[in-house]
Amino acid sequence: MSILETRDIHHDFHGLAVLFGIDLAVTEGERRAIIGPNGAGKTTLFNMITGKYIPKKGSVLLDGRDVTKRPVFWRARHGLARSFQITNIFPRQTVFESLRAAVLSKRSIRLNLYRPVTGMTSVNEEVEGLLERIGLQEQRSVQGGLLAYGQQRALEIGLTLALDPRVILLDEPTAGMSSEETRYMVDLVKRLTEGMTLIIIEHDMEVVFGLADTITVLHYGEVLASGPKDEIQQDAKVKEAYLGEGD
Ligand SMILES: Nc1ncnc2c1ncn2[C@@H]1O[C@H](COP(=O)(O)OP(=O)(O)OP(=O)(O)O)[C@@H](O)[C@H]1O
Ligand SMILES: [Mg+2]
């Protein structure tokens, strides 16, 4: 069963149609890239998945459950994380404090939903584990705003991971980065999200091929092609419409 699915999603803005029946099915652990020209509807599709906008027609399923009308926070509680822009770091909080706040917010959510679990690791232990995973043990007392660029990215990922997401959505995570920063980011995301379901919108094909196994190509609000990345790379329609290599 798919962990995330969209069925026949249609959307328009003030009568101007931008999505024309998008079917997407992502399995658990899959690494999917969504590519397509500017204005193809990629971000709009993400907004339907996260609940920022409700589609005019069609449905969104999370773990087989229809969540089309569920609000953003409900979906986030159920494991859908939109990173990393949304989890902006707090410039005046230290790395430790930021991660601790994220762990606590997750726990308050979980405690509301389930009965408290005995033997749960302490909040501090969990924060220590996160610090180790993102490699910021030595920066634990540094304020977020004073971290080096790559360390800020690592902290943002840490804040997302603190919520134990099941599906991570990234919209152009390397936009505006230098090629060196991009490479760093790809390595970091790859390492820190191993085994998780990842859906990434990206223009940079190096990032796409570095992070994704499967690709969906959106074109004027429709799915032009979808499949394993090698197949998509060879797809004549895709080459012509998007990669600009029509033969
Ligand atoms: N809130 C909005 N109100 C009106 N029109 C919108 C809105 N959001 C997006 N659009 C329009 O919908 C279309 C799809 O936009 P969208 O942002 O989803 O494209 P995209 O594939 O993410 O493009 P890019 O690669 O440039 O980020 C565009 O024509 C855009 O102008
Ligand atoms: Mg976009």
Side-chain angles (χ1 to χ4, degrees):
M1 190 179 68
S2 304
I3 189 163
L4 183 89
E5 203 177 327
T6 70
R7 290 188 187 157
D8 198 30
I9 295 272
H10 288 257
H11 198 63
D12 67 72
F13 292 106
H14 318 293
L16 188 71
V18 296
L19 294 178
F20 301 89
I22 305 292
D23 291 320
L24 192 77
V26 178
T27 51
E28 185 143 32
E30 193 177 332
R31 324 278 288 181
R32 173 80 60 103
I34 297 178
I35 67 171
N38 293 116
K42 305 179 296 295
T43 299
T44 304
L45 180 62
F46 258 30
N47 287 333
M48 316 265 110
I49 293 173
T50 59
K52 186 172 176 194
Y53 301 139
I54 309 291
K56 294 287 162 73
K57 191 182 156 213
S59 47
V60 179
L61 286 83
L62 187 59
D63 253 340
R65 186 173 184 176
D66 192 326
V67 301
T68 316
K69 303 240 163 77
R70 298 283 188 178
V72 174
F73 74 85
W74 190 96
R75 299 184 205 198
R77 273 183 191 178
H78 288 78
L80 196 64
R82 184 176 195 152
S83 282
F84 301 115
Q85 304 98 313
I86 214 168
T87 49
N88 277 331
I89 60 172
F90 301 104
R92 285 176 209 283
Q93 273 189 354
T94 67
V95 169
F96 190 92
E97 287 164 351
S98 297
L99 289 170
R100 192 162 195 280
V103 169
L104 282 172
S105 82
K106 172 190 66 186
R107 291 197 175 200
S108 70
I109 291 164
R110 297 287 144 90
L111 291 180
N112 287 337
L113 292 175
Y114 310 109
R115 282 206 271 152
V117 184
T118 48
M120 199 159 64
T121 52
S122 76
V123 171
N124 286 359
E125 271 176 83
E126 197 169 334
V127 175
E128 290 301 333
L130 284 165
L131 280 170
E132 197 185 326
R133 274 168 85 187
I134 61 175
L136 291 184
Q137 295 107 313
E138 285 175 21
Q139 288 75 26
R140 66 176 63 232
S141 306
V142 178
Q143 291 181 0
L146 300 177
L147 291 172
Y149 182 82
Q151 294 171 339
Q152 289 196 356
R153 299 281 87 80
L155 176 56
E156 284 165 1
I157 299 178
L159 292 173
T160 303
L161 296 180
L163 304 173
D164 280 340
R166 303 194 57 209
V167 179
I168 300 181
L169 302 166
L170 307 176
D171 192 348
E172 301 191 37
T174 65
M177 290 188 186
S178 69
S179 51
E180 196 186 328
E181 287 164 347
T182 297
R183 246 172 280 131
Y184 177 85
M185 186 70 178
V186 169
D187 279 351
L188 201 66
V189 172
K190 201 184 222 166
R191 195 158 49 78
L192 294 176
T193 65
E194 213 184 317
M196 299 178 197
T197 309
L198 191 70
I199 310 178
I200 176 172
I201 293 176
E202 186 56 66
H203 283 288
D204 184 331
M205 293 313 281
E206 243 183 86
V207 177
V208 170
F209 282 90
L211 286 175
D213 300 322
T214 53
I215 299 180
T216 293
V217 185
L218 279 196
H219 195 58
Y220 292 118
E222 288 182 288
V223 175
L224 184 69
S226 204
K229 61 182 171 188
D230 311 341
E231 260 173 43
I232 296 299
Q233 203 179 12
Q234 299 308 321
D235 189 297
K237 275 184 305 193
V238 176
K239 280 188 187 173
E240 195 178 330
Y242 183 53
L243 301 173
E245 297 171 15
D247 42 22

